[in-house]
């Protein structure tokens, strides 16, 4: 093909604007050379742009004209088996490769994920639909494999932002990515094009002119744009190197396929991005000379599947303007109506229009005609505003006013006229012959929104919805992995449309319908595995050892379909995935004892597996022995108590692992207790939890062979200085019998009467509140000390302490507050008038006990004398000889010599 006319014009332009030929001429003429080289290639290259409606229409037209026998598509070659499942999906969806266990890559990269979104308004979908539904056509994916995507990625360039909920932190495969590679060029184009973002520039200066262009014009323009961005803005050298390696990879694969099959290049079509179509690598073309060597794949095992996608997900992943993909879909439908091109569509495509059972045969291929220079005329042709655009703009204006009124705006017919005229005005101010959807959006915001947004949706969002909104795809049942299909089958008794997006309420009367209990078990496992909101319990809970009665759930499995599909990459059943997750959590290098015990509880709650619980419990024992801090002591105490209560009520004997855990924990916390009392990083909560473990597990630990002396020595070696810990130590000493209540009360009284210790008295009180966990019998003393504090502390000390007291009680409200309220209700009067005359029990003088004189006589107790058999049986049990009758009247001689015991017992019984 001859481009001499265009070369001459560009040479003159370079001479005029650059004061003589030079670098500019080399760039401009080099672009023409790139176009000439691509057009002259025997294997037809079809350049596309990512999700471009102009590319989709041109592709559909070209496929019907050429009817190629082989289509080479720029897509990861290992994703080919998934493409047939697209007919079971509602577009947009994304083809995904996923791996949770990596080999040959840095461990911190896991999990690895690559997605390639596909929409109806995309050239790649047209090629796939044509190839899969046309007999005798072969579709060959030639781009690098998923494994090579990460082989060629540098660690510093690994991104894990996870902005989008549908695609997550997956790496996007850029099919036909056309965007300037440095900010200055993009800023220059946006400024002179009088647009705000790149999507608007592309729509105005590429999509609209190419919407109804012929095949040769489309190809030459796309080649020119790809060459422009490649030559003028190479960008990051590492990225350029990866792009060139991709081109070498694809041409190598195509030449291998041509050599192995003997296909004629004239019957083939190569679909790739326009950026890659203007390649200058030595491997370019069927006659390329390069010797590129494709490296072997790593040992990583990849799982492949389809996940739902959306317009918003595509925009977020590929940094497009909000609403641009929806506008592209609208423009695609408009181009089809204008050009009368009949697009290709997979037979049985979900959500598509029904087609006749027998598809008409394709017409005979059009004879190839040598293409002429179309660039010169295209670049000189001005855009034209036709009647169809005016009618469309009028329809938009009426529709946006209707939508605004539904959303609370005071819009009228006058506003529709204003939007119509303002759109044309804005387009004229921006040197455009016809308004674009972006001009219309700005006009609608200016004329309708003004300065008030009455509802949650502004006018800009209403325009996006009107243009098609955020269309969200769906993966059909047949295309789901086995695990996801199994979930749908097992939840079938709920009679819900689980694939439908949105929240659905499920009511489970398990007591009346026992067959729903497996559904309940599955829902609790899904709640553990899936993101928050996928399965949310409204009524009901899953506790150790309890069976459900009635439950209510909010389910949104259709909304979180991607997460459910990715579970299928981890196992073949939900139970297997739960077990793997629990093992992974327990054996994590950063796992704490509390985390492992949580995994033990989950194994019992969700899987009812004693085997797994025992295995994880043994792991908890190992982790506890290696811990040197007490940060997780409160969680360890709570979970150990729950597990002990469960096993004592549901098992005949305690499992071996929990006996060993209590035994090891007793010795472990005895060892760390003196250090924790003096460690500034260990708070009173942690020390109280350690004491709670030691005191509450003491009987079991002693029965297993532990020595109580170890605990007594540990407490004796503790010398805290912080007031709250001192109070905890005093409580521990009271529990062990080393300190009496009277002595403890005297110490607290001394603190209240000492001006130097008075400011720290609230901290002592906080320590006593924490002591309720290890020593709950001190609840009466805590009420007493708190009452004395409120009675004697001055307001400057008492008021700043109240928030600390409230926070402490709130953190322990489940166990401490009920005890304090019950004890206070027992001690304090029930009515307010009685409070004036009430004296606290701890301030009352103890009543003197008057010993009664022994009413002797030597006859002993009449009751014992009347019934001697009881005394004789007790004597025989104690191994004493003789009988009551033989003792005679001297049987109470001991009581006569020591009357204090009987007197004290009488006084105790009388109170």
């Amino acid at each position: 093909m001859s481009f001499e006319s265009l070369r001459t014009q560009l040479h003159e332009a370079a001479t005029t604007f650059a004061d003589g030929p030079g670098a500019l001429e080399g760039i401009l003429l080099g672009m023409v050379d790139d176009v000439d080289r691509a057009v002259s290639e025997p294997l037809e290259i079809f350049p596309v742009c990512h999700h471009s409606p102009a590319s989709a229409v041109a592709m559909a037209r070209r496929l019907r004209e050429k009817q190629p026998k082989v289509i080479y598509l720029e897509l990861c070659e290992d994703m080919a088996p998934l493409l047939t499942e697209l007919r079971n999906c509602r577009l947009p969806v994304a083809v995904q490769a996923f791996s949770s266990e990596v080999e040959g890559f840095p461990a911190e990269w896991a999990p690895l994920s690559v997605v390639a979104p596909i929409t109806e308004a995309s050239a790649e979908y047209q090629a796939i639909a044509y190839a899969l539904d046309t007999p005798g056509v072969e579709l060959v994916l030639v781009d690098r494999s998923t494994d090579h995507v990460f082989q060629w990625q540098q660690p510093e360039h690994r991104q894990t932002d996870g902005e989008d909920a549908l695609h997550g932190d997956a790496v996007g495969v850029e099919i036909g990515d056309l965007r300037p590679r440095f900010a200055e060029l993009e800023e220059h184009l946006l400024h002179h094009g009088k647009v705000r973002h790149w999507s608007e520039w592309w729509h105005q200066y590429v999509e609209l002119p190419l919407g109804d262009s012929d095949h040769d014009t489309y190809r030459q323009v796309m080649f020119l744009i790809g060459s422009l961005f490649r030559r003028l803005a190479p960008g990051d050298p590492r990225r350029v190197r990866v792009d060139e390696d991709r081109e070498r990879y694809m041409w190598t694969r195509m030449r291998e396929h041509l050599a192995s099959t003997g296909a004629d290049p004239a019957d083939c079509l190569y679909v790739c991005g326009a950026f890659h179509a203007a390649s200058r690598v030595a491997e370019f073309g069927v006659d390329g000379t390069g010797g590129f060597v494709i490296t072997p794949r790593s040992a990583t095992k990849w799982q492949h599947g389809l996940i739902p996608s959306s317009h918003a997900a595509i925009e977020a992943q590929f940094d497009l303007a909000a609403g641009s993909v929806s506008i592209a879909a609208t423009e695609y439908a408009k181009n089809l109506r204008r050009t009368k091109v009949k697009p290709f569509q997979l037979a049985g495509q979900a959500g598509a229009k029904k087609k006749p059972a027998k598809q008409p045969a394709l017409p005979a291929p059009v004879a190839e005609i040598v293409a002429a220079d179309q660039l010169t005329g295209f670049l000189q042709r001005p855009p034209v505003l036709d009647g169809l655009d005016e009618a469309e703009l009028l329809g938009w204006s009426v529709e946006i006013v209707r939508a605004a009124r539904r959303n609370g705006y005071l819009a009228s017919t006058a506003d529709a006229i204003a939007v119509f005229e303002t759109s044309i005005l804005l387009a004229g101010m921006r040197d455009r012959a016809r308004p674009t959807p972006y001009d219309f959006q700005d006009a609608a915001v200016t004329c309708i929104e003004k300065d008030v947004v009455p509802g949650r949706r502004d006018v800009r969002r209403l325009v996006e919805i009107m243009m098609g909104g955020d269309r969200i795809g769906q993966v059909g049942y047949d295309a789901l992995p086995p695990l996801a299909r199994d979930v749908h089958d097992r939840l079938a008794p709920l009679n819900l449309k689980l694939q439908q997006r949105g929240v659905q309420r499920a009511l489970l009367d398990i007591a009346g319908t026992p067959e729903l209990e497996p559904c309940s078990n599955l829902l609790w496992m899904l709640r553990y595995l899936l993101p928050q909101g996928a399965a949310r319990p409204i009524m009901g809970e899953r506790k150790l050892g309890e069976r459900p009665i009635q439950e209510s759930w909010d389910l949104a499995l259709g909304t979180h379909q991607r997460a459910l599909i990715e579970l299928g990459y981890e196992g073949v059943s939900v139970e297997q995935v739960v077990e793997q997750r629990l093992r992974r959590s327990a054996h994590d290098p950063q796992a704490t004892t509390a985390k492992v015990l949580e995994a033990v509880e989950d194994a019992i709650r969700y899987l009812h597996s004693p085997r797994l619980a025992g295995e994880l419990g043994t792991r908890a024992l190992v982790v506890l022995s290696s811990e040197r801090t007490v940060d997780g002591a409160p969680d360890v105490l709570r979970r150990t108590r729950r597990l002990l209560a469960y096993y004592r009520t549901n098992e005949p004997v305690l499992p071996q692992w929990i006996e060993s855990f209590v035994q090891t924990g007793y010795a472990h916390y005895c060892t760390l207790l003196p250090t924790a009392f003096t460690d500034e990083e260990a708070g009173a909560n942690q020390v109280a939890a350690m004491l709670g473990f030691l005191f509450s597990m003491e009987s079991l630990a002693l029965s297993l062979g532990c020595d109580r002396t170890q605990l007594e020595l540990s407490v004796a070696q503790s010398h805290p200085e912080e007031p709250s810990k001192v109070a905890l130590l005093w409580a521990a000493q009271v529990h062990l019998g080393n300190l009496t209540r009277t002595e403890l009360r005297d110490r607290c009284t001394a603190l209240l009467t000492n001006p130097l210790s008075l400011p720290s008295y609230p901290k002592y009180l906080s320590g006593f509140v924490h002591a309720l966990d290890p020593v709950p019998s001190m609840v009466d003393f805590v009420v007493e000390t708190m009452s004395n504090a409120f009675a004697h502390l001055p307001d400057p000390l008492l008021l700043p302490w109240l928030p600390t007291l409230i926070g402490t009680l709130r953190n322990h409200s489940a166990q401490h507050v009920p005890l304090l309220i019950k004890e206070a209700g027992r001690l304090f009067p029930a009515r307010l008038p009685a409070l004036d005359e009430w004296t606290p029990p701890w301030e009352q003088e103890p009543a003197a006990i008057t010993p009664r004189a022994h009413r002797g006589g030597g006859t002993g107790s009449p009751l014992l004398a009347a019934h001697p058999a009881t005394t004789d049986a007790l004597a025989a049990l104690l191994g004493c000889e003789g009988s009551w009758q033989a003792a005679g009247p001297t049987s109470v001689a001991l009581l006569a010599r020591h009357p204090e015991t009987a007197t004290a017992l009488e006084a105790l019984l009388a109170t």
Side-chain angles (χ1 to χ4, degrees):
M1 180 185 300
S2 175
F3 290 95
E4 292 303 326
S5 176
L6 182 59
R7 284 190 175 92
T8 302
Q9 294 183 32
L10 293 178
H11 174 75
E12 295 175 354
T15 304
T16 302
F17 293 105
D19 296 329
L24 179 58
E25 181 184 20
I27 293 175
L28 296 178
L29 297 182
M31 290 163 49
V32 179
D33 293 337
D34 291 340
V35 175
D36 195 359
R37 182 187 186 193
V39 171
S40 304
E41 171 60 32
L43 195 161
E44 182 178 333
I45 303 173
F46 195 95
V48 299
C49 176
H50 196 59
H51 302 297
S52 165
S55 296
V57 173
M59 172 62 73
R61 182 196 299 114
R62 184 55 179 165
L63 289 174
R64 292 189 179 277
E65 293 174 353
K66 183 179 177 66
Q67 298 181 22
K69 297 297 186 293
V70 178
I71 294 181
Y72 299 113
L73 182 61
E74 179 193 332
L75 191 62
C76 293
E77 57 185 4
D78 54 328
M79 293 182 176
L82 296 174
L83 299 182
T84 57
E85 296 294 340
L86 289 175
R87 66 179 77 253
N88 298 318
C89 305
R90 179 180 291 108
L91 300 182
V93 297
V95 185
Q96 182 186 38
F98 183 90
S99 177
S100 58
E101 299 179 0
V102 299
E103 294 185 29
F105 302 109
E108 60 270 16
W109 284 13
L112 302 179
S113 179
V114 173
V115 298
I118 298 176
T119 64
E120 291 183 1
S122 60
E124 55 266 32
Y125 175 71
Q126 291 298 309
I128 292 170
Y130 165 80
L132 296 183
D133 284 350
T134 305
V137 177
E138 183 179 5
L139 178 65
V140 182
L141 304 187
V142 294
D143 198 3
R144 54 185 174 163
S145 68
T146 303
D147 202 88
H148 287 89
V149 171
F150 293 97
Q151 283 188 28
W152 296 354
Q153 190 173 35
Q154 299 297 325
E156 62 270 17
H157 291 88
R158 175 76 172 117
Q159 299 177 355
T160 56
D161 297 335
E163 296 179 357
D164 177 68
L166 290 177
H167 292 177
D169 58 358
V171 175
V173 177
E174 300 173 350
I175 305 176
D177 178 41
L178 280 181
R179 190 162 188 157
R181 291 295 179 87
F182 69 98
E184 289 79 0
L185 175 58
E186 183 171 339
E187 182 180 355
H188 177 83
L189 294 175
L190 297 183
H191 174 72
H192 289 277
K194 297 183 180 179
V195 294
R196 292 164 299 174
H197 44 73
W198 176 250
S199 300
E200 187 176 0
W201 186 94
W202 182 264
H203 178 272
Q204 172 64 25
Y205 294 100
V206 180
E207 286 294 337
L208 294 181
L210 291 180
D212 54 357
S213 62
D214 60 89
H215 172 63
D216 293 329
T217 302
Y218 168 82
R219 288 184 71 205
Q220 294 174 25
V221 171
M222 293 296 285
F223 286 144
L224 183 69
I225 295 174
S227 178
L228 169 67
F229 292 161
R230 193 175 191 113
R231 287 183 173 272
L232 197 57
D236 182 10
R238 187 203 63 85
R239 184 175 180 182
V240 173
R241 184 174 63 254
V242 171
D243 288 331
E244 292 179 346
D245 285 344
R246 289 179 65 185
E247 293 154 7
R248 296 185 179 97
Y249 194 106
M250 290 188 284
W251 280 110
T252 301
R253 288 300 192 202
M254 284 187 284
R255 285 200 300 272
E256 290 175 354
H257 182 269
L258 290 173
S260 62
T261 61
D264 186 356
D267 295 332
C268 303
L269 187 68
Y270 172 33
V271 182
C272 67
F275 188 89
H276 299 298
S279 174
R280 301 187 302 274
V281 297
E283 289 80 1
F284 180 88
V286 294
D287 299 323
T289 59
F292 182 72
V293 177
I294 298 177
T295 59
R297 301 180 187 180
S298 69
T300 299
K301 295 181 179 180
W302 293 95
Q303 304 285 339
H304 296 83
L306 297 170
I307 62 173
S309 184
S310 68
H311 291 173
I314 297 171
E315 291 160 359
Q317 188 165 26
F318 297 101
D319 195 23
L320 303 175
S324 60
V325 178
S326 298
I327 292 175
T330 304
E331 188 69 21
Y332 173 66
K334 174 182 173 182
N335 289 347
L336 291 178
R337 293 192 301 268
R338 175 187 299 175
T339 60
K340 306 301 181 181
V341 173
K342 187 176 182 181
F344 291 93
Q345 192 172 47
L346 287 171
Q349 181 75 58
K353 296 180 180 179
K354 297 297 182 181
K355 289 187 175 184
K358 185 177 181 180
Q359 298 293 332
L362 293 174
V366 179
E368 296 291 338
I369 302 176
V370 178
D373 176 14
Q374 302 292 336
L375 280 177
T376 304
F378 177 84
L379 297 176
Q380 295 176 353
R381 184 178 64 195
V384 179
L385 177 65
D386 56 17
L388 177 61
D389 288 335
E390 290 182 355
E392 182 183 55
L393 180 60
L394 183 59
W396 288 353
S397 302
V398 174
E399 183 62 30
I400 190 59
V401 169
R402 183 183 293 114
R405 295 176 70 173
R406 286 197 301 264
N407 284 269
Y409 291 89
L410 299 177
S412 63
T413 305
D415 291 313
I417 298 173
V419 171
F420 180 85
E421 297 295 342
T422 305
S423 300
I424 299 176
L425 177 62
L426 288 176
M429 295 173 61
R430 295 166 178 172
D431 294 334
R432 299 175 185 171
R434 53 185 176 185
T436 67
Y438 302 98
D439 298 325
F440 171 76
Q441 190 177 57
D442 293 341
V445 172
T446 303
C447 299
I448 297 177
E449 188 170 293
K450 302 177 178 65
D451 59 344
V452 177
V453 179
R456 60 180 181 176
R457 290 174 176 158
D458 56 15
V459 174
R460 189 174 302 278
R461 176 60 181 154
L462 293 178
V463 173
E464 293 178 6
I465 295 174
M466 190 189 72
M467 292 293 175
D470 183 19
R471 186 176 303 173
I472 301 176
Q474 185 184 64
V475 179
Y477 174 86
D478 294 331
L480 293 173
L483 181 144
R485 292 200 300 269
D486 180 61
V487 168
H488 285 279
D489 294 341
R490 293 167 64 179
L491 295 180
L494 300 180
N495 297 320
L496 297 177
K497 298 179 180 179
L498 297 177
Q499 286 194 295
Q500 180 178 325
R501 294 186 61 84
V503 179
Q504 301 180 70
R505 179 63 58 86
L507 303 176
L508 285 75
D509 182 12
I510 301 172
T513 313
E515 56 267 21
L516 292 180
E517 186 171 356
C519 295
S520 170
N521 297 335
L522 179 58
L523 290 175
W524 284 107
M525 287 187 285
L526 292 176
R527 178 179 179 268
Y528 171 76
L529 295 172
L530 295 179
Q532 185 178 7
R536 185 168 63 94
I538 304 302
M539 181 184 69
E541 57 183 349
R542 178 59 60 96
K543 290 185 176 180
L544 291 177
E546 294 185 3
R547 295 193 62 181
I549 300 176
Q550 287 184 334
E551 293 179 352
S552 175
W553 290 81
D554 274 352
L555 302 180
L557 298 183
T559 304
H560 296 84
Q561 192 181 48
R562 168 183 173 266
L564 180 61
I565 290 173
E566 290 190 347
L567 285 182
Y569 301 155
E570 300 184 43
V572 296
S573 67
V574 175
E575 288 78 5
Q576 181 185 6
V577 177
V578 172
E579 184 171 340
Q580 290 177 354
R581 293 271 185 97
L582 292 177
R583 280 202 176 95
R584 191 181 307 129
S585 174
H587 290 273
D588 188 277
Q590 304 299 324
T592 61
T593 305
K595 192 69 175 178
V596 181
L597 289 178
E598 181 184 5
V600 175
E601 291 185 76
D602 292 339
I604 298 174
R605 280 201 301 261
Y606 302 136
L607 299 178
H608 310 288
S609 174
R611 171 191 56 79
L612 181 60
E615 176 186 333
L616 299 180
T618 304
R619 171 64 182 171
L621 179 63
V622 174
V623 175
L624 177 65
S625 301
S626 62
E627 282 187 343
R628 293 297 176 264
T629 63
V630 295
D631 296 338
D635 282 341
V636 172
L637 174 62
R638 286 193 297 268
R639 298 186 186 282
T640 306
R641 283 175 173 172
R642 282 201 295 264
L643 289 168
L644 278 173
Y646 167 77
Y647 284 122
R648 282 169 172 165
T649 55
N650 293 274
E651 301 291 340
V653 295
L654 292 178
Q656 178 62 39
W657 77 264
I658 200 167
E659 291 184 350
S660 301
F661 185 86
V662 171
Q663 191 175 6
T664 303
Y666 187 86
H668 180 72
Y669 285 132
C670 282
T671 304
L672 296 181
L673 187 62
T675 304
F677 265 116
T678 57
D679 189 1
E680 295 182 356
E681 296 183 359
N685 192 27
Q686 283 75 23
V687 177
M690 296 174 66
L691 292 173
F693 188 96
L694 294 172
F695 293 163
S696 61
M697 312 289 173
E698 185 177 13
S699 58
L700 177 60
L702 295 181
S703 67
L704 296 174
C706 294
D707 190 357
R708 194 171 193 267
T709 306
Q710 187 178 7
L711 173 60
E712 295 175 347
L713 291 175
S714 179
V715 173
Q717 294 173 357
S718 302
H719 304 287
E721 297 181 359
E722 204 273 327
S724 61
K725 294 182 180 179
V726 172
L728 281 171
L729 179 61
W730 291 347
Q733 292 174 341
V734 170
H735 177 79
L736 295 176
N738 299 331
L739 188 68
T740 64
R741 288 289 187 94
T742 302
E743 294 172 342
L744 181 59
R745 186 175 290 109
D746 293 341
R747 292 184 181 183
C748 294
T749 303
L751 292 174
L752 277 175
T753 56
N754 187 353
L756 297 179
S757 61
L758 198 61
S760 61
Y761 190 75
K763 296 183 179 179
Y764 285 93
L765 287 181
S766 297
F768 285 129
V769 172
H770 282 97
L772 289 178
D773 192 0
V775 192
S777 61
M778 288 190 61
V779 61
D780 58 335
F781 183 80
V782 173
V783 173
E784 174 185 340
T785 54
M786 292 179 66
S787 300
N788 291 333
F790 280 97
H792 298 92
L793 285 179
D795 288 347
L797 291 178
L798 183 62
L799 295 179
W801 171 67
L802 288 180
T804 303
L805 174 63
I806 295 173
T808 303
L809 294 178
R810 177 179 296 176
N811 294 334
H812 301 83
S813 58
Q815 61 267 35
H816 294 172
V817 174
L819 292 175
L820 293 173
I821 293 177
K822 182 178 180 180
E823 183 64 20
R826 187 183 69 84
L827 295 177
F828 289 90
R831 298 184 178 276
L832 187 61
L835 188 62
D836 296 334
E837 302 177 357
W838 176 74
T839 302
W842 52 86
E843 294 183 0
Q844 296 177 0
E845 294 293 336
I849 299 177
T850 303
R852 295 186 181 183
H854 175 64
R855 291 173 294 183
T859 59
S861 173
L863 183 63
L864 294 178
H867 303 281
T870 302
T871 306
D872 293 342
L874 179 61
L877 180 64
L878 297 176
C880 300
E881 298 180 355
S883 63
W884 173 266
Q885 289 81 357
T890 63
S891 59
V892 291
L894 184 63
L895 296 177
R897 289 196 301 269
H898 305 283
E900 295 83 0
T901 303
T903 304
L905 177 61
E906 182 182 10
L908 178 63
L909 296 177
T911 55

